[in-house]
Amino acid sequence: MGTALIYDVEMTRYKLLWVDPACKIEVPERLTVSYEALVRGGLADRCISVPVREATDEEILLVHSEEYLEAVKKTPYMTLEDLKEFTLQYGDVYFHPNIYHCAKLAAGSALHLVDSVMTGKVRNGMALVRPPGHHSMHSAANGFCVFNNVAIAAQYAKQKYGVKRVLIIDWDIHHGQGVQYCFEDDPSVLYFSWHRFEHQKFWPHLRESDYDSVGKAYGAGFNINVPWNKVGMENGDYLTVFCHILLPVAYEFCPDLVLVCAGFDSAIGDPEGEMCATPDIFAHLTHLLMNLAGGKLCAVLEGGYNLTSLSQSVCQTVQTLLGDPLPRLSNLSAPCKSALESLQCARSAHRQYWSSLKYAADAPTSEISTKRIKLAEKEDERPEIGEEEKSPEEKVWPEPPQRVSPPIHTASVLPNDVVCPGGCQPLTSSEDPDPLIVSKLKENFLKDADDSDAFTAFSNLITLIKKMEMNQICNGLALVRNVTTAMMCLIQHSAATPGNRVLVVCVGNGKIPSHVTSDGKTLLVHISSEDRQEQKSKYYIPLCLKKGCSDMSGFIHSVFGFLLPLGYEYDPSLVLLVQMPDSGVCDSMWQQLIGLLRSFAQGHTLVLMQEDEKALVDLTASTLLGEPALPLEQLQAPPTEDVKTLEMLRHRLQTEWKLLQTTVPPESGGADEL
Ligand code: X5A
Ligand code: ZN
């Protein structure tokens, strides 16, 4: 099961034929540089190349009116003057004699991608298309878009494959109002968009792009807008919105198919977006969506006008779809006040529709986002783009580092009577263990028993994490006699190496000596049903849930609300995932957890399980190998007590862990002073 890539040079064969400052950035090179970057990076070759096709009239009519289609059909025969005049009735778009052909190919590409994914020919894929689609409406071209490629694809998937729920994520920096209008009253399509808004001062200047447009009639709750009211948003702002609104709602929605309006004008250097998120953020955004819908994800290009930033972002997206290890996102900054304000507004607007947001805070009292008046400019922590600032296109950022896959993907350390799962490699250590390690092990962990099996297992585990450190092995799994002891041994060993940072995620009840974690070399998150009240350090975080790990919605709630933000902020070099005996975590949840943790440490995760958990070996290995996790069933509301516990904990921790914030911090005063 591979990754589809759709591209055809024909879609570069139209361009702006007159002078129009609003449209001059939409150039054929957008497609050629993106494709060439994929070829140069060796990524195009690794994809399954799927040919383009034209969308039929019938397919276009799934979204557009007959009058509009008939009008566009005439454009190939128009004179330059007629084309100019035809163009004038729409906003920020241009026509060309060949654009109708390209628009049919762009929509057809999206449909062919959906076919390839739905029939199982590929797992996921990306279509590089022009013209883009998300601004085009029932009867109007708009914002460089002619036909609404993704909206047509969603309708098509429902009609042809009986797909019940489609999730559309629009990470382009403009509001895809065409998509919003198309599905406003349709609860089978959940549309999420973030977009530069600046209190309606940014194009397309629509009142309905604000956070309070939540959908209509049966579709209420199925339209999520997160308006950005400042430029300069960074990786931390984007991740905050993913963790605290999009992902919990998306998992609750439980889509059968994920479509991405993949515009990259939300990346640094783009003249339209003027944001500061770096291209590697798209690796993470893509990855975080890849365990929904059993991995069925189709990304369709929308905007992106800085050719460097665009092509790097496209490469990051495709490389992630191919399953390569994710880059570490270092220097993640805290979300800015304006981003938190938008998040807080969107969460409160949706709390009546989604149980995962049920206890979200009220919108900030002054509700500055709804005032939409010229506000006395009060400074946020982000600089305005002023004269002394660099223009967006002069911005410089480092090229994303190469993402190299280690020669061995998944290694295992298993007892002799357990068959090594397909695709995994049993760890064999050729060298004799370091005598220093031997003596340390004997002294600390094997005092009482002269247990040669346990000794071999421990030294194999140490070899395994050493090889992960050297990037010879990506990840691994191990069944051990005693998970707690093995965990302590590995933590101790790892902490001895300078520069190491270990995120330890422990699920299930059991006593863990908390003294190991106060120096910052490890961050221990323990999800259980035992309230130990012993969180004394920033680096030891017990999450106590009423039903421990057996309540799915409480568990996933804490994964998105706590574990992911903490992990991103901590930026570990290694993840240790430990399942305690009788944890109660179900198979699909376990796979989701493993899949999501692959975000960190370039995929270097070691999973430790108790010796008798043989039944878990295959499904653990398959997720470590990159198979999508089993989808969770539609979630129930998390227990009220859990939500309250987590909120109290968030309150305590968010001054030290900034990515936990979901509201504007009160001491910053914020809107009240405006
Ligand atoms: C697809 C897309 C942007 C149109 C901007 C017009 N369109 N000012 O990014
Ligand atoms: Zn855009």
Side-chain angles (χ1 to χ4, degrees), residues 3 5-7 29-39 43-44 47 126-129 171 262-265 267 278-280 282-283 286 299-304 306-322 400 403:
T3 295
L5 178 63
I6 305 193
Y7 167 76
E29 290 73 23
R30 297 178 54 240
L31 233 49
T32 45
V33 297
S34 301
Y35 185 71
E36 277 160 17
L38 288 171
V39 172
L43 298 170
C47 292
M126 169 140 208
L128 294 179
V129 301
W171 69 45
F264 299 101
D265 39 17
T278 48
D280 49 354
F282 296 103
T286 303
V300 181
L301 183 68
E302 298 280 358
N306 176 310
L307 299 182
T308 310
S309 164
L310 169 65
S311 53
Q312 289 175 356
S313 302
V314 166
C315 288
Q316 291 293 316
T317 304
V318 171
Q319 194 165 5
T320 307
L321 293 176
L322 283 163
R403 294 160 59 177

Side-chain angles (χ1 to χ4, degrees), residues 134-135 172-175 203 263-266 272 302-305:
H134 71 154
H135 296 302
D172 187 280
I173 208 57
H174 300 95
H175 183 214
W203 189 90
F264 299 101
D265 39 17
S266 43
E272 279 284 312
E302 298 280 358
Y305 307 99

Side-chain angles (χ1 to χ4, degrees), residues 338-357:
S338 176
L340 285 171
E341 188 175 73
S342 300
L343 172 70
Q344 192 177 342
C345 289
R347 281 169 50 101
S348 94
H350 279 278
R351 67 184 172 196
Q352 57 176 307
Y353 305 110
W354 300 99
S355 69
S356 49
L357 303 177

Side-chain angles (χ1 to χ4, degrees), residues 209-227:
S209 304
D210 213 347
Y211 65 84
D212 53 354
S213 291
V214 296
K216 294 175 175 163
Y218 287 116
F222 297 91
N223 191 85
I224 303 181
N225 286 334
V226 177

Side-chain angles (χ1 to χ4, degrees), residues 169-175 192-197 202 226-248 261-286 288-289 304 309 313 317 329 331-340 342-343 347 382 560 564-565 568 658-659 661:
I169 290 117
D170 188 339
W171 69 45
D172 187 280
I173 208 57
H174 300 95
H175 183 214
F192 169 92
S193 174
W194 62 35
H195 35 268
R196 181 170 172 187
F197 187 59
F202 189 70
V226 177
W228 301 122
N229 289 315
K230 296 260 180 192
V231 296
M233 294 299 164
E234 298 178 2
N235 294 348
D237 301 301
Y238 287 8
L239 281 177
T240 290
V241 166
F242 258 56
C243 290
H244 297 302
I245 184 163
L246 174 63
L247 292 172
C261 286
F264 299 101
D265 39 17
S266 43
I268 190 163
D270 192 276
E272 279 284 312
E274 300 188 34
M275 297 300 173
C276 293
T278 48
D280 49 354
I281 195 67
F282 296 103
H284 288 267
L285 303 185
T286 303
L288 291 170
L289 303 173
S309 164
S313 302
T317 304
L329 274 180
N331 296 319
L332 208 57
S333 51
C336 71
K337 200 176 77 188
S338 176
L340 285 171
S342 300
L343 172 70
R347 281 169 50 101
R382 294 292 152 77
F560 294 133
L564 285 184
Y568 273 114
K658 300 289 185 192
L659 289 186
Q661 299 171 92

Side-chain angles (χ1 to χ4, degrees), residues 41-53:
L43 298 170
D45 257 353
R46 295 170 53 199
C47 292
I48 297 164
S49 128
V50 171
V52 298
R53 70 163 174 91

